[in-house]
Amino acid sequence: MHIVVIGANGRTGRLVVEQAVGAGHRVTAVCRSAPGDLAVEAEILHADVVRDDGFTLPSGTDLVISTLGKKSNRDRTPVCADGMKHVIAAMRRAGARRLIAASASPVLRTATGEPVWFRATVRPLVRWTGRRLYADLEQMEATLRSSADDIDWSVVRPGYLVDRPGGAYELVQGANAMGVVHRADLASALLAVADHPDAAGAAYGLASRPKDRS
């Protein structure tokens, strides 16, 4: 499978590229800046999908994985919203349909899957402190939903991300999963959702789990 990774130079994007290459896929890593030490087997495509509305996907793209995200809540640029519009336009021009995007658990305003005490105390604080981050992701998800006629999209919403090795994780469709998320598990989940037969149009909560839960 030919996988195109958007935001491949970020901490999550690098792990997606590494895992996809390790699984034997052809991978194109879309990077705005110099790729550094990305997997040497990946093909590098220099592009700024946030600003370039003429962004073009490589021929033969089977799957697009987006790990776009703001680096700071102070950033007012609609990184995810504008980037996703340009990615979807490129997919339509290329005739590609399958798209997986990383989002975040606070985007789910119903907070389904979270205990009442968490919804009442922690969640409002998190949404306020990261209001620009989550507003951008909400716009991105709205763009995805409006593209459903010709784009088979899925969203993975992790909770708090930590840089730890991957292991076991839980994906919950239509709800949030409580717990931290190892960034390597997010990368694995983004790739795994692509193989779910009924994942088109679905959003998944994600949390890392101990390997031994007995």
Side-chain angles (χ1 to χ4, degrees):
M1 183 162 54
H2 184 184
I3 301 174
V4 175
V5 182
I6 309 294
N9 228 7
R11 286 184 290 173
T12 300
R14 286 174 171 272
L15 292 170
V16 174
V17 170
E18 178 183 309
Q19 292 184 22
V21 168
H25 298 294
R26 176 188 172 191
V27 179
T28 297
V30 180
C31 304
R32 184 179 63 178
S33 55
D37 58 351
L38 274 176
V40 293
E41 296 87 352
E43 302 167 22
I44 307 300
L45 175 59
H46 292 279
D48 185 350
V49 300
V50 177
R51 294 177 174 81
D52 183 6
D53 59 3
F55 166 69
T56 301
L57 285 171
S59 61
T61 298
D62 298 305
L63 167 66
V64 176
I65 295 180
S66 171
T67 62
L68 287 172
K70 290 179 183 288
K71 293 183 178 180
S72 167
N73 187 58
R74 295 187 296 273
D75 185 359
R76 296 177 180 271
T77 306
V79 172
C80 300
D82 284 0
M84 189 55 67
K85 289 177 185 177
H86 298 159
V87 167
I88 288 173
M91 291 180 68
R92 286 171 171 155
R93 290 192 294 269
R97 292 189 61 97
R98 194 70 177 103
L99 170 62
I100 316 291
S103 185
S105 59
V107 174
L108 183 61
R109 286 185 174 267
T110 62
T112 303
E114 298 174 357
V116 173
W117 69 266
F118 191 88
R119 300 183 200 182
T121 57
V122 177
R123 183 56 72 207
L125 178 61
V126 170
R127 284 192 58 88
W128 171 251
T129 56
R131 56 195 177 279
R132 292 193 185 99
L133 300 173
Y134 305 127
D136 188 25
L137 288 168
E138 285 179 339
Q139 292 176 41
M140 179 194 76
E141 289 199 21
T143 297
L144 288 171
R145 289 191 296 272
S146 69
S147 72
D149 287 346
D150 56 354
I151 301 295
D152 297 328
W153 62 268
S154 303
V155 166
V156 177
R157 300 186 184 122
Y160 184 71
L161 284 167
V162 294
D163 291 312
R164 296 177 187 167
Y169 60 83
E170 180 182 16
L171 277 170
V172 183
Q173 186 170 343
N176 285 338
M178 294 295 293
V180 301
V181 178
H182 300 184
R183 201 175 293 274
D185 289 336
L186 172 56
S188 297
L190 290 167
L191 287 163
V193 164
D195 293 327
H196 286 205
D198 58 350
Y204 295 85
L206 172 68
S208 296
R209 300 296 184 219
K211 291 184 178 181
D212 183 7
R213 302 181 65 185
S214 59

